[in-house]
Amino acid sequence: CYEAYDILATQGKDALDGAEIKAIQKAINRMMSLFIMKEEYERCQFLKNYVKNHIPGFEIQPDKSVGNELSL
């Protein structure tokens, strides 16, 4: 998650070039779930703004399976 976040943060809109949008959306949902659980709200805000600016129409839905995976 942190590597994907760094790519979005450093590359901005260019991170979307050549990438499958559904895979990016799934990664954002997973990142959001992790960052909420770890109370990293600045990262959550960044993701919210990133989606607003670069993926209009996409609504972030934190992936609840991340919590299950981390509790194993």
Side-chain angles (χ1 to χ4, degrees), residues 3 12 14 19 32 51 59 65 68-69:
E3 287 180 37
D14 292 340
M32 184 64 86
V51 166
E59 183 179 328
S65 70
N68 296 334
E69 292 171 13

Side-chain angles (χ1 to χ4, degrees), residues 23-38:
I24 297 263
Q25 291 170 342
K26 181 177 180 179
I28 288 172
N29 286 336
R30 292 180 62 78
M31 282 187 268
M32 184 64 86
S33 183
L34 176 67
F35 298 150
I36 289 170
M37 289 175 9
K38 296 206 172 255

